[in-house]
Amino acid sequence: MQREMQSETGATGNQQVQSAADTRGKHRISAELKRLEQESRSLEEELELLERMGSASASCNEMLSMVETKPDPLLPV
């Protein structure tokens, strides 16, 4: 009779420990998911900003052609 009560008490104690661990695990997973969602939103916003920015290479090519046509006043000719 005592063994039956001990085994039942042990099983209940193990279930409580497992449920507490499950709760912490669920919280940890939830926090990680929230962090990933924030990072995803941040990357989406950055991608939208880059798409609206326009072509940087066209501006660079235009500036390069202007600079190449003018001689550098500090260099001897």
Side-chain angles (χ1 to χ4, degrees):
M1 183 92 166
Q2 277 186 328
R3 283 189 169 176
E4 289 177 14
M5 290 187 72
Q6 287 175 348
S7 65
E8 288 177 12
T9 305
T12 306
N14 287 339
Q15 288 174 349
Q16 289 175 350
V17 170
Q18 285 178 344
S19 68
D22 288 345
T23 304
R24 287 188 302 248
K26 288 178 184 178
H27 176 72
R28 192 176 302 125
I29 291 170
S30 175
E32 180 69 15
L33 181 61
K34 187 178 284 190
R35 185 189 68 78
L36 289 172
E37 287 173 345
Q38 288 174 344
E39 187 175 341
S40 174
R41 261 186 262 119
S42 173
L43 290 172
E44 287 174 355
E45 290 171 2
E46 187 175 348
L47 184 60
E48 287 176 11
L49 180 68
L50 288 172
E51 288 173 348
R52 283 185 268 131
M53 198 178 259
S55 178
S57 62
S59 300
C60 291
N61 286 333
E62 183 180 330
M63 184 175 154
L64 182 63
S65 66
M66 290 175 58
V67 170
E68 286 178 338
T69 58
K70 297 180 182 177
D72 190 343
L74 301 176
L75 292 176
V77 179

